[in-house]
């Protein structure tokens, strides 16, 4: 069973979550996400996903291998309250958006989330991988091909970019979504990839060649600002690297934007 932790989420756009731990309770988080911690919190870097404090070498290697496939660090950090009273540790969001508290016990014990959205969880939550088995997803799924599978009965916290939009899909109801806009979904939701319209739309529509189709029943969480979209716009704006110009206010700069499709 996962540790039962208390928490509070602070802020509006650049949020952080403060987790309160009783003596001997622990939270596990991605390396580099800690914001602050009180004096009696002990920090330990572990190899693997940290599900069991006494896992075998082979179990640790398997856990680390799962994280390697998702593109995440091989290491995670465990924060444990070694004091006699309550202690706090806080984790910050990596870019503007919202932090969502997900109670896995209420969600059926399993949650599938985008590989870069997991922030932290109560110790005892298993962090593995979820392959999307359909051929179309495997070939063209991009960000959604390999996702993270969170399992257990405790609290976990995921981060979404921009505004979060939760949806409850009924049985047979289908929603078409940009692959990067998916934050999380319940395992009962079917995930597939489809081509965006005709050839002209696919090549010149600006929305990419493929989108995800989500079919209920189950709940999904969407984000309005995927990290990949934000990073792409920043890269394009860098002068001399992504095509951005120093003279953004000039006539030539405006014409260049029109030609590039930026205006």
């Amino acid at each position: 069973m996962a540790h039962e932790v208390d928490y509070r989420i602070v802020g509006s756009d650049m949020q952080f979550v403060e987790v309160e731990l009783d003596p001997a309770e622990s939270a596990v988080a991605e390396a580099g996400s800690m914001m602050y911690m009180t004096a009696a919190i002990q920090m330990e870097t572990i190899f693997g996903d940290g599900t069991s404090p006494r896992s075998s070498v082979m179990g640790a290697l398997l856990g680390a291998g799962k994280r390697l496939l998702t593109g995440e660090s091989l290491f995670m950090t465990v924060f444990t309250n070694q004091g006699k009273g309550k202690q706090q540790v806080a984790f910050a969001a990596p870019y503007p958006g919202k932090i969502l508290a997900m109670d896995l016990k209420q969600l059926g014990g399993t949650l599938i989330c985008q590989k870069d959205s997991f922030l932290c969880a109560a110790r005892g939550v298993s962090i593995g991988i979820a392959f999307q088995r359909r051929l179309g997803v495997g070939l063209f799924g991009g960000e959604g091909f390999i996702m993270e599978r969170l399992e257990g009965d405790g609290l976990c916290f995921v981060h979404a970019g921009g505004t979060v939009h939760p949806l409850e899909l009924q049985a047979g109801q289908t929603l078409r979504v940009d692959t990067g806009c998916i934050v999380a979904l319940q395992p009962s939701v079917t995930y597939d990839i489809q081509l965006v319209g005709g050839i002209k739309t696919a090549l010149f529509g600006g929305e990419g060649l493929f989108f995800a189709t989500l079919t209920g029943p189950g709940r999904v969480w969407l984000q309005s600002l995927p990290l990949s979209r934000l990073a792409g716009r920043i890269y394009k704006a860098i002068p001399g690297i992504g095509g951005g110009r120093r003279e953004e206010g000039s006539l030539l700069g405006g014409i260049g934007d029109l030609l590039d499709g930026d205006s």
Side-chain angles (χ1 to χ4, degrees):
M1 293 181 62
H3 294 185
E4 296 183 6
V5 300
D6 297 318
Y7 72 94
R8 67 187 182 105
I9 295 174
V10 181
S12 55
D13 294 323
M14 294 295 291
Q15 294 185 325
F16 69 90
V17 56
E18 183 188 78
V19 178
E20 187 173 74
L21 302 175
D22 290 327
E25 282 187 342
S26 300
V28 60
E30 292 286 0
S33 62
M34 190 272 292
M35 180 179 175
Y36 64 83
M37 57 184 177
T38 52
I41 297 290
Q42 179 179 341
M43 183 173 64
E44 178 188 6
T45 300
I46 60 172
F47 187 66
D49 65 2
T51 305
S52 173
R54 295 183 179 179
S55 60
S56 64
V57 174
M58 184 58 68
L61 288 173
L62 287 175
K66 292 176 182 178
R67 292 181 54 74
L68 184 63
L69 286 174
T70 63
E72 302 293 340
S73 169
L74 293 178
F75 298 91
M76 298 192 75
T77 308
V78 176
F79 299 83
T80 304
N81 181 359
Q82 300 284 10
K84 296 182 179 179
K86 293 180 180 293
Q87 298 289 323
Q88 293 80 33
V89 56
F91 306 97
Y95 53 95
K98 302 294 182 183
I99 295 175
L100 307 177
M102 305 289 203
D103 189 338
L104 294 180
K105 187 175 183 179
Q106 295 182 2
L107 294 172
T110 302
L111 184 70
I112 310 299
C113 66
Q114 196 70 268
K115 62 184 181 180
D116 59 355
S117 64
F118 172 74
L119 187 62
C120 61
R123 184 71 182 268
V125 172
S126 173
I127 305 160
I129 60 172
F131 282 106
Q132 301 301 332
R133 299 176 183 176
R134 292 176 179 267
L135 180 60
V137 180
L139 293 177
F140 309 112
E143 296 162 275
F145 174 39
I146 300 178
M147 304 180 78
E148 287 191 331
R149 180 185 297 270
L150 307 178
E151 294 181 295
D153 59 0
L155 277 171
C156 61
F157 300 89
V158 298
H159 178 257
T163 299
V164 181
H165 185 44
L167 287 169
E168 188 77 36
L169 297 180
Q170 303 302 315
Q173 182 182 358
T174 297
L175 189 69
R176 293 180 289 183
V177 184
D178 181 279
T179 55
C181 289
I182 300 171
V183 178
L185 50 89
Q186 291 183 300
S188 58
V189 176
T190 303
Y191 182 108
D192 202 356
I193 293 292
Q194 289 186 0
L195 181 67
V196 176
I199 297 298
K200 183 174 68 174
T201 302
L203 293 179
F204 305 110
E207 300 299 334
L209 295 178
F210 302 93
F211 55 73
T213 58
L214 306 177
T215 304
R219 181 173 294 185
V220 299
W221 291 263
L222 306 180
Q223 59 185 350
S224 64
L225 183 61
L227 176 60
S228 58
R229 186 177 297 176
L230 175 63
R233 291 301 179 96
I234 293 174
Y235 176 79
K236 287 180 65 177
I238 300 175
I241 298 179
R245 285 166 295 279
R246 299 180 186 275
E247 302 83 7
E248 295 293 346
S250 68
L251 177 61
L252 180 60
I255 295 175
D257 286 341
L258 288 173
L259 294 175
D260 288 344
D262 291 336
S263 298

